[in-house]
Amino acid sequence: MQQDLLNTAIEYLKGVGPKRGELLRKELSIHTFRDLLYQFPYRYVDKTRFQKVRELHEDMGDVQLKGILRRLSKTGEGRKRRLVGRFRDDTGYIDLVWFTGVHWLEKKLQVGAEYVVYGRVNQYGGQWSMAHPEMELLSEEKTATPKTFEPVYTSTEKLNAKGLDTRARRKLMHHLFEKLSPEDFPENLPAYIMEKMKLAPHALAMYRIHFPRNQKELDRVSLRLKFEELFFLQMRLLQLKKRRKKEIKGFVFSSIGDHFNQFFHEKLPFELTGAQKRVLKEIRKDLGQGIQMNRLLQGDVGSGKTIVGLMTMLMAIDNGYQACLMAPTEILAQQHYNSISNYIEGLGLKVAFLSGSVKGKKRKLILEELAEGEIHILIGTHALIEDPVVFKNLGLAITDEQHRFGVAQRAKLWKKSRPCPPHVLVMTATPIPRTLAMTLYGDLDVSVIDELPPGRKPVKTIHRTENHRLRVIGFMKEEIAKGRQVYVVYPLIEESETLDLKNLEEGYEALTREFPLPEYKISVVHGRMKPADKDYEMQRFARAETQIMVATTVIEVGVNVPNASVMVIENTERFGLAQLHQLRGRVGRGAEQSYCILMSSFKISKDGKERIQTMVRTNNGFDIAEADLKLRGPGNIEGTQQSGIINLRIADLATDGRILQTAREIALRVLDDDPPLERPEHQGLKGYLEKYAKQVKGWSRIS
Ligand code: ADP
Ligand code: MG
């Protein structure tokens, strides 16, 4: 085996050389033969088949047709001049259109002759057309036998300019494969897995992914490589999880003590749901084991995660440790502080609040008391993880709505206690599709609260356009007359912040006309306000001193005002699904029937429409997350970019969920049956995994 051949620098490949090598490195990060090999084609040109005009449909991309060129005509003058050819097969006709080379083409093309045309089709006013098609004249000796199935590679303008277009890339691939032999691709999966999954061999797949002969072969080798990719990813994540459990010690919280019991028996204002009880049991089990807990708590908006977090903190305190809770915004942190202070009033515990806005003497005092251990619970924003914040003995760190925190920020929390890192509970209300959770959090334990507190009525969601506005206002008035409160939310997207602010201000003014003083009072909260002002307005709304809250998405996460029963969202088409779901979660928190009114203009994009329809159709956060993943692809789901995990070569988390599921199950079984991977049949796998692990070091710890 030529072990090092694949590590050869790219410029030594025939047809590359120093200049092109430099370019490949810069433009595509291709440094070695291996890198070139692993940049798979992003699509294929299928010239093995002819389509029929009648079968054409949108999203077909490039197609190949065979037929007769019936007519050629010139239209337009000057720069608008174009040549149009009518092209007919036995099922219908399309227009071929050229904007350049008109004169030359007119002379060259033969009306009445049979051609094969290849290109992208578009439909316009019911008529199909193809601009600048590749044309091939058929003659008696050149019959129309379908030919090749060609790979298309990612390129850039610079590469194209230097002649490294897709055709040149194909040639490079050929040169590369001339140098390689199957021994350069040792099989990395054991035979029993290959048989079970009916997988193509690794070596074959690596070649045929570049040069498949037809769609069927491409499907087979893609499956092989997708499985392989997801399988090794899961193997790695599961190994990390096992290792972490073995190596990273945790404080032992052995007992349930007075504070927990007193709270449970005297303070808890409601019965816990079955799901809350189950999750608390899971957490308690983690905390007693002497291993660091690293648990993700998923639960839809309103499912009652806060109380679970609080009761976990009481376990820490009863065992002599401090706890902290970190939230992504000042408003949310403040709200947690208020509600937790209320819950535990009379238990004799000290709770403190810390954020960037706590300054001077107050801050100094908090930091002192924290270091002395006088403060039991610290709640706040990311100010908690700054260096001057020193705990006496932090035993538990909870982060809420964790998508907002970067990996590095969270890693800082780990260093806040000695000799072990604190137990970590990560709470998120943004449901993560199962496939993503399995990769993003593959090395965390996951608990799910899949049950809402009893008595909740699902929020009714309605789509309304501008011409319904008067009715919407009438409806808001009815609800307010019943004593309820209303949110009106405007989008805020960074690039158009000024414009959005204007929208909000105009909206606010319009509302003050419809809802005049003294009968109605309106609060406003937006991102440009000082934290103290925001907080003041939030508090007024929370105390029901105002009936309407006009806001940008700052209220998106976590805000809890159970008396609010109507959520009106303006320009709904501009929000993402996850955001919309969060926003809707602000209502439906009390016993009253609540409503979410999605306002949009009449004309919206297809995606926008689909998002709105999804919201109207379902209240289930997981369904919404799945829909979101399908619409946007995994790279755009919050929290994924920073992890780097999603840089998959060939598998697609949005569509390959089933392969992932199987890959994970098989990986689990392998590690259960043969943890050290000692068996002979696992040697190929083990060797590959070790190499692979080196490549993906970067994301080894996500918590
Ligand atoms: P989230 O999971 O979105 O953070 P919260 O913890 O804010 O949800 O809880 C939402 C509301 O439900 C709060 O008003 C809380 O007091 C209430 N709640 C939580 N658990 C229960 C329960 N078991 N029974 C009744 N109400 C509950
Ligand atoms: Mg919450």
Side-chain angles (χ1 to χ4, degrees):
M1 192 172 29
Q2 317 170 59
Q3 251 307 344
D4 294 320
L5 190 58
L6 288 181
N7 291 331
T8 312
I10 193 66
E11 59 249 48
Y12 297 112
L13 182 64
K14 186 174 159 196
V16 181
K19 271 197 186 138
R20 286 179 150 192
E22 183 65 21
L23 213 62
L24 285 169
R25 266 195 294 275
K26 272 204 183 128
E27 295 287 299
L28 298 172
S29 303
I30 294 177
H31 298 263
T32 62
F33 288 7
R34 176 178 282 103
D35 295 336
L36 185 70
L37 197 63
Y38 273 99
Q39 290 206 3
F40 300 143
Y42 76 96
R43 66 184 179 91
Y44 299 81
V45 170
D46 183 359
K47 289 188 176 174
T48 61
R49 290 186 315 138
F50 295 114
Q51 274 85 20
K52 294 285 185 194
V53 171
R54 199 196 292 137
E55 297 161 359
L56 296 180
H57 57 84
E58 300 273 10
D59 323 318
M60 224 169 173
D62 293 329
V63 299
Q64 181 168 249
L65 302 168
K66 186 172 59 153
I68 312 272
L69 181 63
R70 282 283 174 216
R71 205 165 66 215
L72 266 183
S73 51
K74 264 189 302 200
T75 62
E77 280 303 318
R79 298 179 89 222
K80 291 215 167 138
R81 199 151 83 131
R82 66 179 70 169
L83 183 67
V84 180
R86 175 142 295 188
F87 182 80
R88 187 180 274 287
D89 72 4
D90 48 10
T91 66
Y93 69 87
I94 68 167
D95 282 339
L96 309 175
V97 188
W98 294 268
F99 303 95
T100 55
V102 169
H103 188 62
W104 184 74
L105 280 162
E106 199 186 4
K107 275 207 271 187
K108 192 185 126 189
L109 292 171
Q110 300 176 20
V111 174
E114 189 175 28
Y115 281 93
V116 170
V117 300
Y118 182 85
R120 179 169 295 258
V121 284
N122 292 302
Q123 199 180 25
Y124 196 77
Q127 173 59 40
W128 288 102
S129 68
M130 188 186 281
H132 289 259
E134 282 175 31
M135 301 283 293
E136 189 185 358
L137 181 65
L138 294 177
S139 52
E140 266 164 41
E141 61 271 28
K142 227 182 161 188
T143 47
T145 38
K147 294 168 303 195
T148 55
F149 200 86
E150 289 171 350
V152 180
Y153 295 94
T154 313
S155 194
T156 65
E157 238 166 83
K158 272 194 189 142
L159 287 172
N160 282 331
K162 301 273 169 190
L164 269 174
D165 57 5
T166 207
R167 201 173 293 218
R169 277 285 284 287
R170 266 177 229 156
K171 221 163 161 182
L172 293 186
M173 291 313 301
H174 278 297
H175 290 325
L176 181 55
F177 278 108
E178 274 162 23
K179 286 195 156 259
L180 298 171
S181 63
E183 286 83 71
D184 292 305
F185 302 96
E187 184 51 59
N188 54 23
L189 289 175
Y192 73 91
I193 293 180
M194 305 224 338
E195 273 157 34
K196 186 174 154 46
M197 293 290 298
K198 301 199 172 45
L199 296 173
H202 177 72
L204 177 81
M206 286 303 289
Y207 178 57
R208 287 295 173 196
I209 194 70
H210 292 282
F211 300 109
R213 284 168 297 194
N214 52 50
Q215 187 65 45
K216 209 171 143 209
E217 187 168 60
L218 176 61
D219 290 345
R220 183 165 132 80
V221 300
S222 303
L223 172 68
R224 153 73 208 210
L225 293 173
K226 284 174 175 187
F227 178 85
E228 178 183 313
E229 180 166 47
L230 295 170
F231 174 76
F232 282 103
L233 176 63
Q234 288 303 322
M235 284 291 288
R236 179 75 186 136
L237 287 167
L238 291 167
Q239 273 189 330
L240 282 172
K241 183 164 158 179
K242 280 201 165 173
R243 195 164 307 155
R244 199 190 61 227
K245 292 205 164 175
K246 227 165 66 196
E247 285 169 8
I248 302 185
K249 300 274 173 285
F251 302 116
V252 182
F253 298 174
S254 53
S255 56
I256 288 289
D258 290 346
H259 293 105
F260 186 96
N261 283 326
Q262 198 189 346
F263 176 78
F264 189 73
H265 295 296
E266 294 169 22
K267 301 276 174 191
L268 192 62
F270 38 68
E271 170 98 11
L272 294 175
T273 62
Q276 285 170 322
K277 283 183 198 161
R278 189 191 65 234
V279 169
L280 275 167
K281 246 185 227 148
E282 288 166 357
I283 291 174
R284 184 161 177 218
K285 192 161 164 243
D286 282 358
L287 298 178
Q289 282 182 333
I291 305 164
Q292 186 215 19
M293 172 171 78
N294 216 359
R295 189 169 279 279
L296 177 73
L297 174 55
Q298 282 206 67
D300 215 338
V301 278
S303 61
K305 293 182 292 294
T306 314
I307 206 82
V308 171
L310 170 60
M311 291 174 79
T312 308
M313 292 202 266
L314 294 177
M315 293 182 204
I317 294 165
D318 280 341
N319 285 276
Y321 293 93
Q322 293 168 296
C324 72
L325 168 59
M326 184 163 79
T329 64
E330 176 109 14
I331 291 181
L332 191 53
Q334 187 72 47
Q335 187 176 291
H336 275 314
Y337 174 73
N338 295 342
S339 62
I340 284 174
S341 303
N342 282 338
Y343 275 135
I344 61 173
E345 213 182 311
L347 290 187
L349 296 177
K350 185 150 191 169
V351 188
F353 177 81
L354 187 69
S355 77
S357 61
V358 178
K359 293 198 175 89
K361 270 194 196 141
K362 216 167 158 192
R363 183 181 197 90
K364 208 170 149 237
L365 185 65
I366 288 176
L367 293 184
E368 273 170 26
E369 289 181 340
L370 200 63
E372 296 292 319
E374 282 164 37
I375 290 173
H376 300 96
I377 298 177
L378 183 66
I379 297 175
T381 59
H382 52 261
L384 298 198
I385 53 176
E386 282 159 18
D387 290 335
V389 180
V390 179
F391 292 83
K392 178 162 181 246
N393 58 356
L394 179 66
L396 168 72
I398 302 183
T399 61
D400 194 14
E401 314 295 352
Q402 60 84 42
H403 274 157
R404 298 292 180 95
F405 292 108
V407 175
Q409 281 178 317
R410 274 178 265 133
K412 269 185 143 177
L413 263 179
W414 283 51
K415 302 203 183 102
K416 290 271 174 202
S417 68
R418 292 265 131 63
C420 316
H423 292 295
V424 173
L425 183 66
V426 171
M427 307 200 291
T428 174
T430 309
I432 302 157
R434 282 168 50 77
T435 48
L436 265 188
M438 268 190 262
T439 31
L440 264 180
Y441 304 112
D443 75 328
L444 298 196
D445 295 304
V446 179
S447 290
V448 183
I449 305 188
D450 49 7
E451 180 187 354
L452 293 178
R456 295 271 174 82
K457 296 196 182 81
V459 178
K460 284 195 180 144
T461 303
I462 314 150
H463 179 205
R464 289 282 178 259
T465 47
E466 212 43 52
N467 49 336
H468 297 113
R469 185 160 299 275
L470 279 181
R471 272 170 55 197
V472 171
I473 286 169
F475 179 72
M476 287 164 66
K477 286 188 171 156
E478 280 168 34
E479 286 291 302
I480 292 171
K482 288 189 214 157
R484 310 281 124 72
Q485 289 162 283
V486 179
Y487 292 100
V488 180
V489 178
Y490 288 83
L492 185 70
I493 292 167
E494 267 156 51
E495 307 96 67
S496 59
E497 210 173 319
T498 332
L499 187 74
D500 282 327
L501 200 59
K502 195 166 148 253
N503 273 342
L504 179 135
E505 278 163 0
E506 282 170 8
Y508 171 69
E509 264 166 38
L511 282 170
T512 54
R513 269 176 264 130
E514 299 288 348
F515 296 89
L517 286 165
E519 196 182 349
Y520 299 102
K521 295 187 190 67
I522 308 182
S523 288
V524 186
V525 172
H526 59 76
R528 294 254 181 106
M529 288 163 64
K530 287 204 193 96
D533 296 341
K534 274 193 236 175
D535 187 48
Y536 174 76
E537 286 291 313
M538 277 309 304
Q539 296 307 328
R540 284 205 321 147
F541 187 68
R543 286 193 301 260
E545 290 166 19
T546 59
Q547 297 101 335
I548 301 178
M549 162 63 75
V550 178
T552 55
T553 41
V554 287
I555 64 151
E556 176 188 332
V557 274
V559 171
N560 187 28
V561 181
N563 189 50
S565 66
V566 182
M567 165 65 63
V568 179
I569 301 177
E570 299 286 348
N571 298 107
T572 307
E573 69 275 15
R574 287 184 45 199
F575 289 92
L577 267 175
Q579 255 185 330
L580 289 173
H581 182 62
Q582 278 291 328
L583 284 169
R584 178 166 60 186
R586 298 311 104 214
V587 295
R589 306 199 135 226
E592 309 306 329
Q593 175 63 54
S594 292
Y595 304 86
C596 176
I597 303 176
L598 305 173
M599 300 295 296
S600 82
S601 53
F602 217 62
K603 269 186 106 173
I604 48 178
S605 70
K606 194 169 145 222
D607 273 13
K609 217 173 278 169
E610 202 141 322
R611 287 197 295 271
I612 291 176
Q613 280 163 1
T614 304
M615 289 297 292
V616 171
R617 176 172 50 101
T618 178
N619 274 308
N620 181 310
F622 287 93
D623 287 350
I624 289 173
E626 294 284 351
D628 202 22
L629 183 62
K630 291 224 168 74
L631 276 172
R632 294 199 298 166
N636 291 313
I637 304 287
E638 252 184 294
T640 57
Q641 283 110 333
Q642 66 215 29
S643 72
I645 276 189
I646 307 299
N647 292 331
L648 295 172
R649 283 191 188 108
I650 180 162
D652 178 349
L653 294 179
T655 50
D656 297 328
R658 284 184 53 200
I659 305 177
L660 174 59
Q661 177 74 39
T662 315
R664 183 171 174 91
E665 279 160 19
I666 294 180
L668 269 169
R669 209 165 316 140
V670 169
L671 285 171
D672 271 353
D673 290 351
D674 182 19
L677 302 175
E678 274 168 352
R679 292 192 200 152
E681 69 266 30
H682 289 152
Q683 290 321 294
L685 182 160
K686 188 179 183 183
Y688 187 83
L689 195 60
E690 278 160 11
K691 262 196 275 172
Y692 172 83
K694 274 187 209 133
Q695 293 168 38
V696 293
K697 265 203 302 263
W699 45 261
S700 64
R701 183 166 292 166
I702 339 148
S703 69

